[in-house]
Amino acid sequence: MSNQKKRNFQIEAFKHRVVMDPKYADRTWKILEHAIHEIYNHNASGLSFEELYRNAYNMVLHKFGEKLYAGLVITMTGHLRDIAKSVEAAQGASFLEELNRKWNDHNKALQMIRDILMYMDRTYIPSSQKTPVHELGLNLWRENVIYSSQIRTRLLSTLLDLVHKERTGEMIDRGLMRNITKILMDLGPSVYGQEFEIHFLQVSAEFYRVESQRFIECCDCGDYLKKAERHLNEEIDRVSHYLDPRSEKKITNVVEKEMIENHMLTLIHMENSGLINMLCDDRYEDLGRMYNLFRRVNDGLSRIREVMTGHIRESGKQLISDPEKLKDPVEFVQRLLDEKDKYDKIINLAFNNDKSFQNALNSSFEYFINLNPRSPEFISLFVDDKLRKGLKGVSEDDMEITFDKVMMLFRFLQEKDMFEKYYKQHLAKRLLSGKTVSDDAERSLIVKLKTECGYQFTSKLEGMFTDMKTSQDTMQGFYSGHPELADGPTLTVQVLTTGSWPTQAPVTCNLPAEMLALCEKFRSYYLGTHTGRRLSWQTNMGTADLKANFAKGQKHELNVSTYQMCVLMLFNNADRLTYKEIEQATEIPASDLKRCLQSLALVKGRNVLRKEPMSKEVGEDDAFFVNDKFSSKLYKVKIGTVVAQKESEPEKQETRQRVEEDRKPQIEAAIVRIMKSRKQLDHNNLIAEVTKQLQSRFLANPTEVKKRVESLIEREFLERDESDRKLYRYLS
Amino acid sequence: MASSSKTITVVSSDGDEFEMTMKAAEQSKLITHMLDEFGVSDKVPLYNVNSETMAKVMEYCKKHADHEAAKEEDGGAAIGAGGEEELKKWDDEFLKVENGLLFNIILAANYLEIKSLLDSSCQAVADMIKGKTPEQIREIFNIKNDFTPEEEAKLRSENEWAFQED
């Protein structure tokens, strides 16, 4: 025997060898088997952990691991079969309780067994790739108890039955349900799914199909939605109490599909209670509920949006084609604003400020506002009304709000240049008659228009304000330079720059002599300081204050138009005048003169003249007298203010024509701009570009554009390509 | 789990009782598990280990428990890097026993789940085998040669490379 030099002590041959013979292995196994029995029979207290652990350890150490494992499987299976029998035997309600109890027993036993067999779990099982003890215990339970033919179906039907009971209002033992579903979840993700969830979802779908059918037939829309919401919440509550959280999405999908998706259109179009009724009646709560429920399903919201859009367009169309509603423009625009407010509120309160709904609302408004060609005019009249009197006493903030709302409507207009024309007219009348509520208000609105449309839109309007201011200064200068005129009639002149103000056709009118002299003095004064300019009197505008003496010493101050002044002054030198005489003397155009005389003679409380005969129409030979019997409670009597009115048919036509005329050069300018930069472009693209450029002012008519192109070709700004007739080229 | 008494008693297969501190007992995973599960009441039976082996195991556990306590106390300052070296030397000396005892120590460490002891003791045996010829190994461990001469010759020729002296 050779000694190792490295070691200091004797190495003896190894003597102790423990060999486990098969008989010993059998005996050891018997001990363990007995222990397992005792454990399952709730008799574990008498067992020694150390002894059992040691025995299992020794079996594995001596290579009897396989025998141990196999024995374990058989023994445990046997016990589980007994368990299954006892569960099957349970009656009625105690079925689930028995199952739950036995599961707890099994788990306790399993833990003890695993502790004892820990050495095997650590060493033999990994190397032999067998299932670890705990997992084995679960698998065997699954195979022998859950999958036992009697238990399997009975378990499912019991669970589904309890769910159904709870759905129909009965109380059930939620804790027990929770324990049972937990067993299924513990046995593996597919067990819960296969043994319960799939069937649960199926049965639920059927249940809700029937329920929804029942409700649809007897409930109105609002009630049905309430019920659907309640059921959804119920199911979510159910999941939280005794189901796998991952079931929540699946069951809510079922409810959504059966209760909502399948009945979407029926609900929306339900008579007397559907979406349209809700919109009309401002039922915010119902609408909000519908929005929240429908957004859970595909296309739900787009259906709502569709119907809402259709309804707004329809009712808008009705509004603008109803002649009654069109009689009063201010009322009309107010109605529009009210409608917009109404839907804004609905979208805010019920539809969660959803942008897509906001857009749908805007496009609907844009659609029907532009169906009425008079919309630009009416909006301007609305603003006019507000600026004359509507905003009197209103706070600055409220004024801003009103203007912002008007701007919103303005944005919807496709023919913004029409609006500009009317606005100028109305503004001119307001300024010249001094009838605006507040200068600040006027300016505030102009600023808003400038922000919206750019400087060009408002430059002329601002020019009008400037003229008014300048005229004030001019008048001051005139009177301080001519102190001798202080005793005569007081003249106030507004000098208007022609380009800024609405164009007026020149009119004839003979001013009374007193006025004529004064006017000429002013003219020379003005031209003295502004050489090279021309002044022409706009006699169709303007007002005069006359002091009149009637019979019996009645004195009144009359506020009249310029025309009316001319007419009345004639009666200083004559008591009776025929229409013809008046016409000759004043040279006022016939229609204007007739209107003027009507307002002086035929309006009760303002009839300072008497007409013979008393007919409404003014005939050539009618005679006029001063009405000595004229009386009025007021000292100052206002006759014939110049109010902006909705235009008559011929006036309307005229304005439209003018606007169309104005558009022509704008179109041409756009065409030239585009062609200059592109050098050549085909017809369709040119039309598209032109339309886009002019969009902010008006909608360009393709036919008109084509005409302008032809005209430009004639004037040799453009030429057509020889080979391709649709191609245009720019000629510099 | 926390017990007021700081020691426990273990009983060997020969019936002898050994006292050990809780800290020392915690070196063995098996003992720790049994204490967790069943509490410290009676003596802990460890009938797979005889007294001779048990005494050695106790010694090991105590040494390592003290070493750990010292580490915790001074935050390692008292021990330092040198401390680990020292412990290793102690382990080496500790395992210089006759084979029989050594093999019993291995089995006990395996049974009681004392990883460090298991590793060191196996390493010690491995060192015994390393560099030896088959005949020498047979001598040390008293292994009977059960190859026929032909089988042996075949194996040698197939594994020529292993037998070359360097």
Side-chain angles (χ1 to χ4, degrees):
Chain A
M1 218 186 296
S2 57
N3 282 346
Q4 289 297 326
K5 292 288 192 282
K6 290 174 192 170
R7 302 259 172 204
N8 295 340
F9 48 87
Q10 287 273 342
I11 297 173
E12 287 172 8
F14 181 52
K15 291 190 193 98
H16 312 268
R17 289 190 78 184
V18 179
V19 179
M20 198 185 269
D21 63 73
K23 281 213 197 76
Y24 185 66
D26 277 335
R27 264 181 285 141
T28 315
W29 164 243
K30 276 277 170 311
I31 296 173
L32 289 164
E33 187 185 23
H34 175 257
I36 294 176
H37 286 317
E38 293 294 88
I39 288 174
Y40 270 103
N41 294 335
H42 305 109
N43 253 348
S45 49
L47 300 171
S48 156
F49 171 77
E50 187 274 333
E51 182 193 352
L52 298 169
Y53 180 88
R54 180 171 25 101
N55 277 302
Y57 169 86
N58 282 333
M59 271 192 86
V60 173
L61 194 67
H62 290 96
K63 314 256 183 281
F64 286 100
E66 189 166 341
K67 182 182 174 69
L68 177 57
Y69 192 86
L72 171 67
V73 173
I74 291 172
T75 314
M76 199 180 266
T77 306
H79 278 284
L80 287 171
R81 291 231 176 91
D82 290 340
I83 285 179
K85 282 205 188 71
S86 106
V87 171
E88 283 162 15
Q91 295 296 323
S94 58
F95 173 71
L96 287 183
E97 282 161 14
E98 182 70 3
L99 182 65
N100 188 34
R101 205 184 359 255
K102 288 292 179 208
W103 165 257
N104 290 335
D105 284 350
H106 172 70
N107 266 314
K108 276 205 196 73
L110 187 56
Q111 186 169 354
M112 280 192 241
I113 294 169
R114 198 199 57 177
D115 278 348
I116 294 170
L117 302 180
M118 223 186 326
Y119 188 73
M120 180 182 77
D121 236 3
R122 237 178 44 231
T123 52
Y124 169 72
I125 280 176
S127 61
S128 63
Q129 295 185 330
K130 294 244 196 316
T131 320
V133 174
H134 181 79
E135 205 182 315
L136 175 69
L138 295 182
N139 291 349
L140 289 177
W141 169 275
R142 187 186 65 221
E143 295 304 320
N144 291 293
V145 179
I146 301 294
Y147 286 176
S148 122
S149 53
Q150 289 204 20
I151 292 181
R152 197 173 196 172
T153 36
R154 190 170 165 195
L155 176 61
L156 176 62
S157 59
T158 311
L159 291 175
L160 293 178
D161 191 52
L162 285 173
V163 170
H164 185 83
K165 276 201 174 74
E166 202 182 42
R167 283 193 177 136
T168 50
E170 279 184 52
M171 296 276 285
I172 63 168
D173 186 344
R174 283 183 154 185
L176 182 56
M177 286 291 281
R178 184 177 191 71
N179 289 342
I180 302 293
T181 52
K182 187 152 191 320
I183 294 175
L184 294 174
M185 286 189 252
D186 285 345
L187 290 177
S190 63
V191 178
Y192 172 80
Q194 290 294 328
E195 297 309 309
F196 174 73
E197 198 185 44
I198 279 184
H199 309 276
F200 167 72
L201 292 172
Q202 246 173 13
V203 159
S204 305
E206 194 44 47
F207 174 79
Y208 280 110
R209 197 171 302 139
V210 169
E211 281 288 279
S212 61
Q213 196 57 45
R214 196 158 60 88
F215 289 152
I216 275 278
E217 280 161 20
C218 71
C219 296
D220 71 22
C221 185
D223 281 340
Y224 182 92
L225 290 175
K226 278 203 186 86
K227 283 199 165 63
E229 190 181 60
R230 191 170 51 99
H231 277 293
L232 262 177
N233 289 336
E234 252 175 48
E235 292 303 323
I236 293 175
D237 182 66
R238 174 164 299 119
V239 171
S240 75
H241 275 98
Y242 56 82
L243 295 181
D244 185 351
R246 280 167 298 185
S247 297
E248 183 179 309
K249 196 84 194 51
K250 299 180 192 166
I251 184 63
T252 49
N253 281 349
V254 166
V255 178
E256 285 156 11
K257 181 162 180 304
E258 295 302 326
M259 289 206 81
I260 301 170
E261 198 170 346
N262 288 352
H263 298 284
M264 265 203 298
L265 291 174
T266 317
L267 287 168
I268 287 180
H269 294 293
M270 208 178 255
E271 248 188 76
N272 296 333
S273 64
L275 177 61
I276 295 190
N277 299 82
M278 289 184 194
L279 289 172
C280 292
D281 295 341
D282 291 326
R283 300 231 282 272
Y284 302 118
E285 201 190 308
D286 286 339
L287 285 167
R289 188 170 293 118
M290 184 183 264
Y291 180 84
N292 282 329
L293 288 174
F294 277 54
R295 90 191 316 176
R296 288 165 167 264
V297 299
N298 284 337
D299 290 339
L301 289 187
S302 52
R303 290 286 155 80
I304 298 180
R305 206 170 38 235
E306 254 172 51
V307 172
M308 183 187 87
T309 307
H311 171 69
I312 296 176
R313 286 189 184 209
E314 251 326 291
S315 47
K317 234 172 59 173
Q318 274 176 9
L319 173 66
I320 59 128
S321 36
D322 182 355
E324 277 297 311
K325 301 261 163 45
L326 293 177
K327 276 204 183 133
D328 181 355
V330 178
E331 254 309 295
F332 172 80
V333 175
Q334 189 59 51
R335 277 291 308 270
L336 290 178
L337 292 176
D338 291 341
E339 274 289 287
K340 185 75 169 51
D341 277 344
K342 174 195 168 85
Y343 282 101
D344 278 340
K345 196 165 172 196
I346 288 178
I347 292 178
N348 181 20
L349 290 180
F351 293 163
N352 201 31
N353 279 326
D354 190 320
K355 259 226 149 4
S356 65
F357 280 78
Q358 205 39 270
N359 291 344
L361 173 63
N362 289 344
S363 78
S364 307
F365 261 71
E366 195 177 321
Y367 165 74
F368 71 75
I369 281 182
N370 287 304
L371 285 182
N372 177 11
R374 304 195 77 168
S375 290
E377 185 193 346
F378 283 8
I379 296 179
S380 179
L381 284 170
F382 179 83
V383 173
D384 183 76
D385 177 77
K386 290 283 169 244
L387 285 166
R388 279 175 183 272
K389 47 180 170 24
L391 289 174
K392 216 182 216 143
V394 170
S395 74
E396 208 176 296
D397 289 333
D398 285 341
M399 197 171 69
E400 284 293 305
I401 292 174
T402 309
F403 283 160
D404 284 333
K405 287 191 184 162
V406 170
M407 283 311 293
M408 195 179 45
L409 288 184
F410 171 77
R411 266 179 225 118
F412 291 144
L413 289 175
Q414 276 166 354
E415 300 197 295
K416 293 185 172 73
D417 56 347
M418 279 289 259
F419 175 87
E420 191 193 348
K421 198 154 218 78
Y422 281 111
Y423 191 79
K424 239 201 312 194
Q425 280 177 16
H426 299 154
L427 176 63
K429 288 192 183 137
R430 282 201 298 277
L431 288 175
L432 293 177
S433 57
K435 288 270 187 287
T436 180
V437 150
S438 122
D439 248 16
D440 286 336
E442 296 275 0
R443 286 192 188 277
S444 156
L445 189 51
I446 302 240
V447 165
K448 287 191 205 297
L449 286 169
K450 186 148 82 168
T451 317
E452 190 64 32
C453 298
Y455 166 71
Q456 277 177 321
F457 198 90
T458 52
S459 61
K460 298 210 178 112
L461 303 176
E462 284 172 347
M464 289 159 77
F465 279 95
T466 317
D467 282 347
M468 298 297 290
K469 182 81 183 28
T470 317
S471 299
Q472 267 185 325
D473 296 337
T474 310
M475 288 320 298
Q476 267 188 333
F478 176 65
Y479 270 106
S480 57
H482 293 266
E484 75 280 9
L485 294 171
D487 291 332
T490 318
L491 179 68
T492 311
V493 180
Q494 271 112 8
V495 183
L496 314 177
T497 316
T498 314
S500 304
W501 296 75
T503 43
Q504 304 281 344
V507 283
T508 50
C509 174
N510 292 337
L511 294 168
E514 301 95 316
M515 294 310 303
L516 210 50
L518 191 52
C519 292
E520 279 311 309
K521 274 221 170 69
F522 178 83
R523 184 200 291 276
S524 42
Y525 166 77
Y526 186 82
L527 294 178
T529 42
H530 301 91
T531 45
R533 293 195 183 175
R534 234 174 9 121
L535 288 180
S536 54
W537 296 104
Q538 300 288 304
T539 44
N540 53 344
M541 299 196 262
T543 59
D545 291 327
L546 302 175
K547 285 212 175 68
N549 298 327
F550 293 89
K552 298 182 203 155
Q554 291 255 7
K555 288 193 190 179
H556 289 279
E557 196 176 293
L558 306 174
N559 175 267
V560 295
S561 70
T562 310
Y563 287 164
Q564 287 163 340
M565 172 193 68
C566 299
V567 169
L568 289 174
M569 294 293 277
L570 292 175
F571 284 88
N572 276 343
N573 303 323
D575 285 327
R576 174 189 190 277
L577 290 166
T578 62
Y579 171 79
K580 260 221 175 87
E581 289 170 324
I582 299 176
E583 191 183 18
Q584 271 181 331
T586 61
E587 285 186 34
I588 295 174
S591 56
D592 292 325
L593 182 56
K594 286 197 180 136
R595 246 211 317 265
C596 166
L597 287 167
Q598 279 171 331
S599 63
L600 287 170
L602 297 172
V603 182
K604 212 168 159 194
R606 286 162 179 53
N607 45 343
V608 290
L609 292 182
R610 191 164 46 90
K611 179 163 98 77
E612 276 175 17
M614 286 285 279
S615 54
K616 236 168 95 180
E617 293 302 315
V618 177
E620 293 272 319
D621 299 313
D622 289 358
F624 289 87
F625 306 84
V626 175
N627 183 7
D628 283 321
K629 295 209 190 79
F630 173 75
S631 68
S632 171
K633 286 194 207 123
L634 306 163
Y635 173 63
K636 287 192 184 173
V637 182
K638 232 193 214 174
I639 310 180
T641 43
V642 181
V643 192
Q645 279 164 356
K646 140 167 108 92
E647 286 185 325
S648 60
E649 246 332 285
E651 282 175 333
K652 194 174 77 174
Q653 297 285 21
E654 210 195 312
T655 311
R656 174 150 286 278
Q657 253 184 331
R658 277 205 229 127
V659 171
E660 299 283 350
E661 278 301 314
D662 283 345
R663 285 180 183 174
K664 290 188 184 159
Q666 292 181 62
I667 297 177
E668 287 189 357
I671 296 174
V672 170
R673 246 196 324 270
I674 293 166
M675 290 306 297
K676 192 162 175 191
S677 75
R678 307 290 215 100
K679 300 287 182 236
Q680 70 176 37
L681 197 58
D682 70 279
H683 178 85
N684 287 338
N685 278 329
L686 180 58
I687 305 263
E689 284 289 327
V690 169
T691 313
K692 207 163 82 170
Q693 273 207 16
L694 295 170
Q695 211 175 356
S696 58
R697 285 187 60 77
F698 60 89
L699 202 57
N701 182 345
T703 325
E704 190 55 48
V705 176
K706 188 162 192 290
K707 279 203 202 131
R708 294 296 103 222
V709 170
E710 304 283 329
S711 162
L712 286 169
I713 292 179
E714 251 174 64
R715 287 180 274 153
E716 292 185 6
F717 283 90
L718 304 174
E719 70 173 358
R720 263 213 183 83
D721 187 82
E722 295 87 40
S723 41
D724 180 6
R725 296 283 301 168
K726 291 228 130 202
L727 192 63
Y728 304 111
R729 213 171 294 126
Y730 179 72
L731 296 173
S732 38
Chain B
M1 189 343 216
S3 62
S4 44
S5 60
K6 286 217 249 147
T7 63
I8 58 160
T9 313
V10 299
V11 187
S12 71
S13 59
D14 301 325
D16 294 321
E17 293 179 6
F18 298 81
E19 216 178 288
M20 63 193 310
T21 63
M22 285 300 286
K23 206 107 183 65
E26 276 163 25
Q27 299 289 318
S28 155
K29 275 211 183 126
L30 177 63
I31 299 178
T32 310
H33 176 79
M34 287 179 9
L35 291 174
D36 283 349
E37 288 295 304
F38 307 107
V40 187
S41 47
D42 293 329
K43 307 160 187 149
V44 180
L46 295 173
Y47 294 155
N48 238 13
V49 185
N50 64 24
S51 294
E52 188 195 12
T53 322
M54 187 68 89
K56 281 298 268 187
V57 172
M58 291 291 115
E59 197 188 328
Y60 182 90
C61 289
K62 183 174 189 316
K63 176 69 182 173
H64 279 249
D66 289 344
H67 178 89
E68 266 179 35
K71 256 180 28 182
E72 278 167 25
E73 233 165 79
D74 295 351
I79 304 293
E84 299 300 327
E85 286 258 347
E86 230 184 83
L87 188 65
K88 179 99 188 25
K89 276 213 190 93
W90 185 91
D91 283 350
D92 285 345
E93 275 304 315
F94 172 79
L95 290 170
K96 284 183 182 155
V97 295
E98 51 127 8
N99 284 1
L101 182 52
L102 184 56
F103 299 149
N104 274 340
I105 289 175
I106 292 178
L107 288 170
N110 185 38
Y111 180 66
L112 296 171
E113 268 190 82
I114 306 170
K115 188 171 184 331
S116 54
L117 180 55
L118 183 61
D119 287 344
S120 332
S121 47
C122 286
Q123 184 67 57
V125 174
D127 288 344
M128 277 197 253
I129 299 173
K130 192 162 127 177
K132 301 285 189 306
T133 67
E135 293 82 16
Q136 288 167 325
I137 295 172
R138 281 198 198 100
E139 279 243 32
I140 295 172
F141 297 108
N142 199 20
I143 299 168
K144 184 162 176 286
N145 183 357
D146 47 4
F147 289 130
T148 64
E150 294 84 14
E151 281 172 340
E152 186 159 344
K154 185 161 177 256
L155 278 169
R156 278 192 189 265
S157 63
E158 275 173 10
N159 296 295
E160 193 74 45
W161 61 269
F163 292 94
Q164 276 156 12
E165 305 285 330
D166 30 33

